[in-house]
Amino acid sequence: MNETIRNPDQVVKPARRTQSKEVRRMQLIDATIESISKHGIRGTTMSTVTEIAGLSLGIVNFHFKSKQNLFEETLLFLAREHHEQWHKGYQDAGLSPRDKLQAIVDAHFHPKIFTRKKLSVWFAFYGEAGRRTIYRTLIEKIDAERFDISIDLCAALAQNEPDCPMPPRQIANLLEALYDGIWLDYLTYPGSYTREMARDHVIAFLASMFP
């Protein structure tokens, strides 16, 4: 403890170096998202990323050992950002299963998540046939957590709906399909509907299951 007081730089300097490293990594990930949204996976190179980021090739090679490593870290960033959004909403929502399930739905259409730029990157990764299995493996646990929670919430709601037309797992599966389908529709047909309208499509489906 006394040594830390006599040498405050020992505490401050590593924090600054860490912050600088994280800032650079985030710049490169943001630039990768921008590049993929404009040029696709195949058209995105280390050069397009560094040009957008305004950084040197040496910097990107220092933080990410290869283009594939950069792509994987970009996908993980998007998955973790999405996880943080829905998980926070789930925890902050009321105690009822209905409130918690709606919070998960809302998170899929949050302005930070539901942007054409980020959606285009998601589907660019989905479309990579040669590496689709690798990409799915990277985010499988993150998706599985949300799916399992959705099943539990649907099961809790179904207990009060004796005439519920589907089993909870099937409803949760359809929810996942709706998220992806509406994301793709919104990306493919810009201007077809607003973010609120997209969200309301999912809410209408749930209302048909749990009036």
Side-chain angles (χ1 to χ4, degrees):
M1 180 176 178
N2 291 337
E3 184 179 347
T4 302
I5 294 173
R6 288 197 305 269
N7 302 285
D9 286 346
Q10 291 180 357
V11 176
V12 174
K13 287 184 178 179
R16 289 175 178 169
R17 286 198 297 270
T18 300
Q19 183 183 33
S20 178
K21 180 180 179 181
E22 290 307 312
V23 167
R24 287 285 182 265
R25 282 177 62 86
M26 199 61 244
Q27 280 182 276
L28 293 166
I29 288 173
D30 283 340
T32 304
I33 292 171
E34 183 74 29
S35 180
I36 293 175
S37 71
K38 289 182 176 179
H39 309 298
I41 292 284
R42 292 184 180 276
T44 294
T45 64
M46 291 297 211
S47 295
T48 63
V49 170
T50 53
E51 182 178 353
I52 291 170
L55 299 171
S56 69
L57 188 59
I59 292 292
V60 69
N61 285 330
F62 173 76
H63 290 286
F64 303 97
K65 302 307 180 185
S66 66
K67 184 174 80 169
Q68 188 57 38
N69 177 230
L70 176 58
F71 282 178
E72 291 175 2
E73 288 298 319
T74 299
L75 177 60
L76 280 170
F77 165 77
L78 290 174
R80 288 165 180 158
E81 179 185 54
H82 183 217
H83 175 273
E84 181 181 342
Q85 191 66 44
W86 73 255
H87 199 265
K88 184 178 185 302
Y90 167 79
Q91 290 184 316
D92 291 347
L95 296 177
S96 75
R98 187 178 299 273
D99 288 342
K100 289 187 176 297
L101 188 57
Q102 175 140 354
I104 294 176
V105 173
D106 290 346
H108 281 78
F109 303 100
H110 189 277
K112 186 167 73 173
I113 304 299
F114 192 65
T115 71
R116 288 196 174 87
K117 182 187 295 185
K118 289 180 179 177
L119 296 185
S120 67
V121 175
W122 274 116
F123 285 104
F125 280 116
Y126 290 161
E128 277 286 282
R131 293 189 173 272
R132 189 178 298 141
T133 302
I134 296 174
Y135 292 144
R136 287 304 315 170
T137 301
L138 283 174
I139 62 174
E140 187 173 6
K141 288 184 179 180
I142 297 175
D143 283 349
E145 180 187 0
R146 183 185 66 250
F147 182 62
D148 290 343
I149 288 175
S150 293
I151 293 174
D152 290 343
L153 293 173
C154 288
L157 287 169
Q159 289 180 352
N160 299 320
E161 297 290 346
D163 297 325
C164 184
M166 296 180 189
R169 176 174 287 273
Q170 190 173 0
I171 297 172
N173 269 319
L174 286 173
L175 270 177
E176 294 295 315
L178 272 174
Y179 297 143
D180 289 344
I182 292 173
W183 277 14
L184 180 59
D185 196 44
Y186 185 77
L187 178 64
T188 306
Y189 302 101
S192 56
Y193 43 75
T194 65
R195 181 176 60 82
E196 291 76 15
M197 291 169 63
R199 168 190 168 278
D200 288 347
H201 289 331
V202 182
I203 298 300
F205 165 71
L206 287 175
S208 70
M209 298 293 105
F210 311 113

